[in-house]
Amino acid sequence: MQPTVVMNHHRQTAIIVGKKGSKLEIIKLGKGRLTVTALAAQDIEAQGYTVSHYSPSQAARSYLNHGAGVSERARKYLEQIACTEYSDRLNLI
């Protein structure tokens, strides 16, 4: 699955980094430490997130510098995304 940057109506961003069973793994940019959370696609949409055409690699590089820190699991995903080029056609699922 290609990582996908999503944004909600409050302009909060998140990166969908993978899929685990029927859920999507997402890293939400927020005030606290960045972690990976598994959510159903319907839950992501219910929180107002829609696909953004922002570069996953660029977003990942930005997230890696998050002031509150990044969990080890999130860091592994973000480092891999930051050094990979992806298609400019992004899909939520």
Side-chain angles (χ1 to χ4, degrees):
M1 174 180 178
Q2 175 174 312
T4 303
V5 178
V6 292
M7 185 180 298
N8 69 14
H9 57 281
H10 295 294
R11 301 205 36 90
Q12 296 169 317
T13 62
I15 304 173
I16 298 173
V17 296
K19 190 169 183 176
K20 188 172 189 176
S22 64
K23 296 191 175 188
L24 299 171
E25 293 185 308
I26 187 169
I27 301 172
K28 293 181 186 179
L29 185 61
K31 294 180 181 178
R33 187 174 188 202
L34 301 184
T35 59
V36 179
T37 305
L39 294 172
Q42 297 87 344
D43 294 333
I44 294 169
E45 290 175 0
Q47 292 177 28
Y49 285 97
T50 57
V51 173
S52 168
H53 294 288
Y54 192 76
S55 161
S57 300
Q58 189 173 357
R61 285 191 292 274
S62 174
Y63 278 34
L64 284 167
N65 295 317
H66 187 59
V70 181
S71 73
E72 189 61 34
R73 184 167 175 225
R75 180 170 300 283
K76 286 180 184 179
Y77 275 118
L78 294 171
E79 286 174 344
Q80 180 181 14
I81 294 166
C83 3
T84 307
E85 290 300 319
Y86 296 96
S87 164
D88 61 354
R89 303 192 86 179
L90 304 176
N91 297 309
L92 180 57
I93 299 177

